[in-house]
Amino acid sequence: MAHVLDADLRRALADRLRFYNELGIYDFYRHDPLVAASAAKAMVAPEHDTDSAALQPEMRDIMASRKSAAVAVVAEENIFEVLPPKPEQGISDPVAALKLIREDLGDCTRCKLHKQGRKQIVFGVGNPRAELMFVGEGPGADEDAQGEPFVGRAGQLLNNMIKAMGLRREDVYIANVVKCRPPGNRTPERDECETCSPFLMRQIAVIKPKVVVALGAVSAKNLLAINAPMSELRGRFYDFTPSGLRSADSSWQGAKLAVTYHPAFLLRDPRQKGEAWKDLQMVMKYLGLEPPKKAAE
Ligand code: SF4
């Protein structure tokens, strides 16, 4: 008897597949356990050649129902349809490519943050060819009002950090995991990050930085898909490529990613500034940056 998924489960599965499409993952392979079992059976020695299906009838029922469920999903949702390539793909000019991503984002209503008091979408700012990119968590009140990331007190501290590295704010690119202000500056929720971050990934693939600095645990966990405390995340480089995406430039194999404290946290606990400076010095060494003379004295 055909097993049909209930509507909620079907929608959830369709949403998940669309999310993978947003990440640039289009190819899905259905693992057919019956075929795999029969292949495995053909490979085992005769003395171990038992009829696994006969031994595990419950497993056979589960396999059959999963198979028919997958067929039902395909028929009703057409979820395996391959989405067209992203508009910026094949565009080598990062300015034009970022513009296309912004247009694709539009007046976004993809997650619930669009109806929780945001004034505007905060897309990102800075040098579209930056070697160094900073990624925070989400816009706060000042950023929401001005439409630019890191413009409040935390932004001023980030500016100082950038200056101490011998750079100007306009040399780097700054963005957030979510582009709309979470109400009351709460931490963005998992579904909001999952919905919004594919646009950040596309921005990173277009900018092709040498180093991405994740500001704070929320940013680090979303970029790296690692759930670990800051004490474990900091102090090393990670190899990073935007999930499921390839850059238009085949010479760009991804960035190094470093994790440091969010400037808002450093405002609350200035004793950690020395630790953050160690993280930035690691990045400077990799990029061959010298601190300006004044900061070095
Ligand atoms: S946070 Fe991102 S996904 Fe959510 S509404 Fe804003 S732009 Fe869209």
Side-chain angles (χ1 to χ4, degrees):
M1 194 175 95
H3 178 92
V4 178
L5 293 175
D6 69 59
D8 285 347
L9 190 52
R10 202 167 57 239
R11 262 194 301 278
L13 182 54
D15 285 347
R16 171 59 55 166
L17 288 169
R18 287 195 191 97
F19 169 65
Y20 286 133
N21 283 169
E22 289 281 352
L23 292 176
I25 301 167
Y26 302 112
D27 298 327
F28 298 95
Y29 302 94
R30 193 179 67 209
H31 172 68
D32 189 331
L34 290 178
V35 173
S38 108
K41 186 180 162 189
M43 291 172 70
V44 296
E47 63 269 30
H48 299 128
D49 186 8
T50 53
D51 186 338
S52 59
L55 287 171
Q56 298 176 314
E58 308 90 329
M59 186 58 70
R60 186 166 195 146
D61 285 349
I62 292 167
M63 290 170 178
S65 62
R66 281 184 186 162
K67 192 174 172 185
S68 54
V71 172
V73 169
V74 173
E76 294 182 30
E77 296 279 351
N78 199 20
I79 51 180
F80 290 102
E81 179 190 6
V82 174
L83 296 178
K86 302 298 175 205
E88 73 276 12
Q89 279 173 8
I91 307 280
S92 55
D93 175 12
V95 178
L98 286 173
K99 192 162 173 272
L100 288 171
I101 297 170
R102 181 63 190 89
E103 283 169 11
D104 192 19
L105 188 63
D107 188 20
C108 185
T109 57
R110 289 172 180 83
C111 84
K112 61 183 178 301
L113 287 179
H114 83 278
K115 55 181 179 186
Q116 296 192 347
R118 79 158 185 220
K119 289 196 176 74
Q120 55 189 315
I121 290 170
V122 180
F123 183 68
V125 71
N127 180 356
R129 295 179 178 80
E131 290 193 344
L132 176 59
M133 192 165 167
F134 289 93
V135 176
E137 181 179 310
D142 295 313
E143 291 75 18
D144 184 46
Q146 296 185 43
E148 186 173 324
F150 287 94
V151 290
R153 281 184 65 226
Q156 283 166 17
L157 179 53
L158 179 62
N159 290 349
N160 291 341
M161 291 159 71
I162 293 168
K163 204 169 156 193
M165 297 175 81
L167 295 169
R168 302 163 304 164
R169 182 177 165 98
E170 53 269 37
D171 293 327
V172 305
Y173 194 91
I174 306 170
N176 283 307
V177 173
V178 296
K179 299 184 188 307
C180 299
R181 183 191 179 202
N185 290 348
R186 67 159 166 78
T187 302
E189 291 169 4
R190 187 175 165 181
D191 61 312
E192 296 157 358
C193 294
E194 286 186 351
T195 307
C196 201
S197 62
F199 290 93
L200 170 67
M201 298 294 176
R202 288 165 63 185
Q203 287 169 282
I204 298 173
V206 158
I207 295 165
K208 305 188 293 272
K210 285 186 181 164
V211 177
V212 175
V213 175
L215 297 167
V218 171
S219 170
K221 288 174 187 177
N222 274 283
L223 289 168
L224 293 170
I226 296 175
N227 198 7
M230 282 297 277
S231 55
E232 287 174 27
L233 290 167
R234 290 181 47 247
R236 53 163 290 196
F237 277 122
Y238 301 81
D239 290 323
F240 173 77
T241 38
S243 335
L245 290 174
R246 258 170 279 158
S247 162
D249 179 355
S250 59
S251 67
W252 189 72
Q253 301 301 325
K256 293 288 178 199
L257 190 144
V259 180
T260 193
Y261 293 114
H262 194 287
F265 171 78
L266 295 174
L267 288 173
R268 290 196 299 274
D269 187 356
R271 290 169 305 172
Q272 302 304 326
K273 282 183 180 177
E275 291 298 304
W277 181 233
K278 282 185 202 162
D279 300 329
L280 298 183
Q281 284 178 310
M282 181 179 79
V283 171
M284 290 166 67
K285 191 171 173 197
Y286 182 78
L287 292 175
L289 296 171
E290 294 287 338
K293 282 204 168 53
K294 246 176 136 183
E297 282 165 4

